[in-house]
Amino acid sequence: MARIPDAFIDELLARTDIVEVISTRVPLKRQGKEYSACCPFHDERSPSFTVSPTKQFYHCFGCGAHGTALSFLMNYDRLEFLDAVEELARRNGMEVPRETQQRNQSNDTRDLFGALEAAARFFQRQLEGSEKARAYLDGRGVDAATRAQFAIGYAPDGFSALKDALGTDERRMKLLDRAGLFSKNDRGHTYDKFRDRVMFPIYDRRGRVIAFGGRVLQKDDGPKYLNSPETALFHKGRELYGLWQVRQANQKIARLIVVEGYMDVVSLFQFGVKEAVATLGTATTPDHAELLFRNAPDVYFCFDGDAAGQRAAWRALESVLPRMKDGRQAFFLFLPDGEDPDTIVRQEGAAAFDARLQQAMPLSEFFFQELGKDIRLSTLDGKARLAERARPLLAQIPDGAFGDLMRQRLGEITGVGAASAPPAPPLRTAATPQRSTGGHKPSLIRSAIVRLLHKPALALALEPPHAFAGLRQPGIELLLELLDIVHARPDITTGALLEHFAEREELVALQKLAMQDLPGDDATWHAELLDAAHQMEKQLLQQRIDELQVKQRNIGLDEADKYELRALLQARVAR
């Protein structure tokens, strides 16, 4: 789908009352001009979560969570960006702009969802009428409530049960085929893909059926599990079975437990462990890792203890490592041979399974254990080999304490870790300009940015073209961009202004600046912004003088340069 226009997002946020959106989910208490609450994104006893109705922005001084009504819905309701936009648009009676082609695609997608939902209902009805399918689930200990929670069904034996029931016309047949519910033989004959299998619907983040997994009733009846093929709605490397049910069962998800099979998820839920999800017949992908951490700060990977389980765990680690921002944790639990979460939780109960999780191996321990398996760390050669293996992987960890500690640990093991590495240059963003070598005061740019973030309409006092635009200092381009945005939309709020930087590296720094305690009022900030602009113009004048004087010392000045330098020096005195 094409990108939604910025103008629509601005209008959407302007019409949205962030206090109203958040207060329906989190109890807010008024404190002066703002509202406060205990943060919904981390555990705390005293409120540090603040919502500003004037800025249309929220911020937690405890965990650092911050954003607009859009980002709140994405983080709290765990919606994708487009879903959050559609939710706010619905609340405000607005229609998300779409091109004609997109509208047609949207209608087509809606029909695909309808076909899959019809198939799910068909399979559920078939389960009610199949004694052997019900007997299988009874034998596995799956109770009626859990069957209903996961909408478990049954695909009848035979080649055309679903086709005969739902393929009422050519168009419906094509929809069911595109939804991955049919197969074709060499002669082009269409038949039901799922036959004589217990059916597990797979839901997307909005609770819509997008695919199915089918399990055989008897061990010798083909592949144990059969999943829907990749379709326009279903990409197995991006979806997790059970995630929809986890979201429904937990207001706040403290952890996610990644297991390998549908029945593992179902059994854990039935026994009260309602944070289990499963990959869909594939290794843990980077998309899975991102999805997991978007929903929970702690992720437990639960695998068999055999060689295959170790390999699966390492692939999961490789996907998780580049996403290990500070505050996130990953653990690895290896089960005894011949056991899986389904059998363990039934034999030992939820408390014992939870106790196993508490003893799970942290990512850091598993990382160095696996890398050093075939290395003799008692030798210099072995230590060098471990360092060689570890460094490119550690370089993938985002900047922060975890990455620093992992490199420190490598140094402790090998003696050649972080201690011998050159110090990393300080991270600079346009929103956090550093001191320049020219003796300027870059804090002027920061000061101007802070005031614009607190009161965007102040930008209207600085008419373009801006005389300081040629100033060569970190942050000047960002300042000019903020000014341009406000001039294009004079009534923009702080929250909407920040939304323009939603996928850019400057966002975090801007959000922090927006929540700084800024003394004074609108009139004071107005005067301070004008003064900052005046000072930056003087800096630009001095910048040009410095350039001409350097040229004078090196190669000399022509008559035009000499005239310009005299004029600039006189202007500096006048200022």
Side-chain angles (χ1 to χ4, degrees):
M1 181 172 289
R3 186 172 181 270
I4 298 174
D6 288 339
F8 177 80
I9 299 297
D10 292 344
E11 179 67 24
L12 179 65
L13 291 174
R15 291 197 196 182
T16 299
D17 182 352
I18 191 172
V19 173
E20 180 184 339
V21 171
I22 295 179
S23 63
T24 60
R25 296 161 173 83
V26 178
L28 297 176
K29 183 178 180 180
R30 184 157 199 137
Q31 287 190 337
K33 295 181 179 179
E34 298 180 337
Y35 293 80
S36 68
C38 287
C39 181
F41 302 117
H42 81 287
D43 293 324
E44 61 178 7
R45 294 181 179 178
S46 57
S48 60
F49 182 79
T50 300
V51 182
S52 170
T54 55
K55 297 176 184 176
Q56 290 293 299
F57 186 72
Y58 70 87
H59 181 84
C60 176
F61 292 93
C63 69
H66 40 227
T68 64
L70 271 177
S71 56
F72 182 84
L73 287 181
M74 291 172 67
N75 292 317
Y76 189 86
D77 289 359
R78 303 178 187 93
L79 299 178
E80 297 296 314
F81 174 74
L82 180 57
D83 296 333
V85 169
E86 290 179 340
E87 171 64 17
L88 287 184
R90 183 188 60 77
R91 290 173 62 98
N92 289 284
M94 300 171 66
E95 183 177 349
V96 180
R98 306 177 193 276
E99 298 174 0
T100 301
Q101 182 180 359
Q102 291 173 321
R103 285 197 296 269
N104 292 337
Q105 291 173 347
S106 178
N107 292 336
D108 189 56
T109 299
R110 188 162 50 247
D111 290 341
L112 271 177
F113 280 122
L116 286 159
E117 182 61 36
R121 290 195 299 269
F122 170 79
F123 293 139
Q124 285 180 283
R125 290 195 302 271
Q126 296 304 306
L127 177 62
E128 296 171 4
S130 172
E131 184 176 343
K132 70 173 181 178
R134 294 197 312 275
Y136 170 81
L137 292 173
D138 289 341
R140 297 296 299 266
V142 182
D143 61 28
T146 305
R147 297 178 198 183
Q149 184 178 21
F150 286 87
I152 297 173
Y154 171 67
D157 203 358
F159 287 87
S160 64
L162 178 69
K163 179 181 172 184
D164 293 342
L166 299 183
T168 53
D169 55 43
E170 184 178 354
R171 183 174 182 277
R172 176 57 72 91
M173 284 283 290
K174 289 181 179 179
L175 278 172
L176 294 170
D177 184 37
R178 288 171 50 211
L181 292 167
F182 291 153
S183 294
K184 289 184 179 179
N185 60 20
D186 295 339
R187 298 189 298 275
H189 179 70
T190 300
Y191 57 93
D192 291 354
K193 183 177 186 66
F194 297 99
R195 305 179 305 281
D196 196 25
R197 289 176 179 266
V198 172
M199 299 297 290
F200 300 88
I202 300 165
Y203 294 89
D204 69 3
R205 296 145 181 80
R206 295 174 65 180
R208 300 172 297 190
V209 179
I210 55 173
F212 293 92
R215 193 195 190 286
V216 295
L217 303 181
Q218 301 295 329
K219 290 184 178 180
D220 299 328
D221 291 346
K224 181 177 179 181
Y225 282 105
L226 181 65
N227 292 324
S228 292
E230 300 267 320
T231 68
L233 303 181
F234 175 59
H235 304 279
K236 63 182 179 181
R238 302 177 193 169
E239 303 295 339
L240 292 166
Y241 177 73
L243 183 57
W244 167 251
Q245 285 81 3
V246 172
R247 287 172 169 172
Q248 299 306 297
N250 301 275
Q251 184 175 3
K252 183 186 295 184
I253 305 173
R255 66 183 183 183
L256 282 172
I257 305 161
V258 184
V259 295
E260 294 187 83
Y262 299 105
M263 284 302 302
D264 294 325
V265 173
V266 169
S267 294
L268 287 171
F269 258 79
Q270 183 169 315
F271 278 80
V273 184
K274 299 183 182 296
E275 305 110 345
V277 297
T279 55
L280 301 162
T282 183
T284 305
T285 67
D287 285 332
H288 285 146
E290 190 62 41
L291 183 57
L292 288 163
F293 280 127
R294 184 184 297 173
N295 284 274
D298 293 355
V299 177
Y300 292 77
F301 293 95
C302 186
F303 296 107
D304 294 340
D306 57 13
Q310 294 283 331
R311 288 193 298 271
W314 184 255
R315 287 195 293 269
L317 181 144
E318 290 178 319
S319 293
V320 164
L321 204 61
R323 289 153 185 84
M324 288 298 293
K325 300 176 183 177
D326 289 349
R328 295 176 171 181
Q329 297 185 99
F331 301 89
F332 295 84
L333 173 63
F334 297 100
L335 299 178
D337 288 345
E339 301 289 356
D340 55 34
D342 176 21
T343 59
I344 289 284
V345 76
R346 292 185 185 281
Q347 293 169 10
E348 302 179 358
F353 184 80
D354 189 68
R356 287 181 179 271
L357 291 174
Q358 300 308 313
Q359 299 301 314
M361 190 181 300
L363 179 146
S364 55
E365 182 179 340
F366 179 58
F367 178 86
F368 288 110
Q369 175 181 291
E370 282 297 294
L371 284 186
K373 262 187 174 179
D374 58 347
I375 294 176
R376 292 175 58 193
L377 289 174
S378 59
T379 68
L380 294 179
D381 309 66
K383 291 177 179 179
R385 177 171 293 181
L386 178 63
E388 180 187 18
R389 289 180 180 179
R391 278 175 168 166
L393 292 167
L394 295 181
Q396 299 176 28
I397 301 174
D399 291 333
F402 179 72
D404 293 342
L405 290 169
M406 288 288 282
R407 285 182 282 273
Q408 179 181 316
R409 179 60 180 147
L410 176 65
E412 293 169 355
I413 297 172
T414 66
V416 295
S420 64
L427 181 64
R428 297 187 179 184
T429 70
T432 54
Q434 306 296 313
R435 183 171 299 278
S436 68
T437 57
H440 299 307
K441 297 180 179 179
S443 60
L444 284 172
I445 296 176
R446 182 187 181 96
S447 172
I449 289 174
V450 170
R451 280 146 186 81
L452 288 178
L453 291 173
H454 279 70
K455 187 72 174 180
L458 293 175
L460 303 178
L462 301 178
E463 288 291 335
H466 304 294
F468 50 81
L471 192 61
R472 290 193 299 274
Q473 287 186 22
I476 192 67
E477 293 182 358
L478 176 61
L479 174 59
L480 293 169
E481 184 175 0
L482 290 169
L483 291 169
D484 288 344
I485 292 171
V486 179
H487 276 277
R489 186 168 181 79
D491 58 347
I492 196 169
T493 64
T494 300
L497 185 59
L498 291 172
E499 199 64 41
H500 281 260
F501 299 87
E503 297 185 7
R504 290 170 50 176
E505 63 179 352
E506 299 95 336
L507 177 63
V508 173
L510 288 174
Q511 288 173 326
K512 291 179 180 177
L513 293 178
M515 289 309 298
Q516 282 187 358
D517 185 17
L518 187 62
D521 53 20
D522 291 2
T524 305
W525 301 339
H526 178 270
E528 290 169 345
L529 180 63
L530 291 178
D531 180 64
H534 179 67
Q535 295 300 321
M536 285 187 286
E537 290 174 15
K538 291 174 64 175
Q539 289 182 357
L540 179 61
L541 185 148
Q542 184 61 48
Q543 175 181 290
R544 181 56 181 160
I545 291 174
D546 292 344
E547 289 173 352
L548 289 172
Q549 288 178 336
V550 169
K551 183 178 180 181
Q552 186 178 42
R553 289 193 297 271
N554 292 337
I555 61 174
L557 301 178
D558 57 25
E559 289 304 316
D561 289 336
K562 292 177 182 177
Y563 178 82
E564 182 184 1
L565 180 58
R566 286 194 298 271
L568 291 172
L569 291 171
Q570 291 173 357
R572 186 177 64 179
V573 172
R575 286 175 178 267

